[in-house]
Amino acid sequence: LYTKDSTVALDNVIIDGNYTKTASASGLVIYATKSTVKMNKCTVSNNATKGNAANDFIYVKDSNLTITDINFTNNNTLVVPNKEYDVTPRIFYVDNSPLTINGGKITKNGAKNIFYFANSKADFTGTTITDNASGVMSVNNLDQIINMTECTLDSNNVWSSDYVIDIKKKDQVVMTDC
């Protein structure tokens, strides 16, 4: 789904079994710029990048993304380093965009990070993030605030040089009753 300068509402939608073989795989599931995207009770499962592709599943820039009761499971993005491409696979890439996730499960996905934040704010409430073969999040620009309330982070297996939550510069991650 590619959206620019638009409003998109996905309600009870299943996105299953998609993959890309190209090296420019940003936004395999959603690529949104200057848009408002709302996902409610959606299932995103069994999607993958293959071949030389290794990048983001949900890419939002200068957009608003609100997710409620999502089942995001068994999605994998590969790292296939070579001389031509140097990519960092993430499930969610959020740039200059507010992200709100209420409820749902994000489980059994594989990537370098589930979430990568650049110049963004995020609020998670009641979200379960478990059994992923990746770090949960990288917060990588000045003065970002990530709030997590009543969330569960459990059994996530990070890459050898990464962390479950990687906070850099003057960013903040606030966890309450997690």
Side-chain angles (χ1 to χ4, degrees):
L1 173 65
Y2 174 83
T3 178
K4 181 177 181 181
D5 298 317
S6 302
T7 299
V8 175
L10 303 173
D11 192 22
N12 201 26
V13 171
I14 297 171
I15 301 169
D16 182 74
N18 300 287
Y19 72 94
T20 182
K21 292 194 258 184
T22 67
S24 57
S26 286
L28 173 63
V29 175
I30 295 174
Y31 185 103
T33 59
K34 299 180 183 176
S35 296
T36 298
V37 179
K38 294 182 180 181
M39 298 177 74
N40 180 49
K41 297 182 180 177
C42 293
T43 298
V44 179
S45 59
N46 304 310
N47 300 290
T49 59
K50 296 183 178 182
N52 286 332
N55 225 333
D56 316 305
F57 275 68
I58 294 181
Y59 176 94
V60 291
K61 182 172 177 134
D62 302 320
S63 299
N64 292 306
L65 177 59
T66 303
I67 298 171
T68 305
D69 294 327
I70 195 166
N71 179 10
F72 202 96
T73 185
N74 200 36
N75 299 286
N76 290 286
T77 184
L78 305 173
V79 174
V80 185
N82 64 33
K83 293 179 182 178
E84 187 176 353
Y85 304 105
D86 181 21
V87 292
T88 303
R90 295 146 311 210
I91 300 293
F92 291 82
Y93 180 89
V94 183
D95 185 0
N96 199 38
S97 302
L99 169 66
T100 303
I101 298 181
N102 295 308
K105 294 181 181 179
I106 299 169
T107 185
K108 298 181 182 171
N109 300 288
K112 182 170 175 61
N113 297 109
I114 299 297
F115 297 96
Y116 179 88
F117 295 103
N119 305 310
S120 298
K121 181 180 186 295
D123 292 298
F124 295 81
T125 304
T127 306
T128 300
I129 304 170
T130 60
D131 297 314
N132 295 290
S134 60
V136 172
M137 71 179 66
S138 179
V139 186
N140 201 13
N141 286 78
L142 294 173
D143 301 321
Q144 296 179 107
I145 299 175
I146 311 301
N147 294 306
M148 301 185 85
T149 305
E150 298 178 357
C151 294
T152 301
L153 284 74
D154 187 32
S155 301
N156 295 292
N157 184 12
V158 300
W159 292 19
S160 63
S161 62
D162 289 322
Y163 305 93
V164 173
I165 298 176
D166 185 7
I167 307 166
K168 295 183 172 102
K169 301 180 184 176
K170 296 181 181 179
D171 300 311
Q172 298 178 43
V173 173
V174 179
M175 300 177 89
T176 306
D177 297 326
C178 292

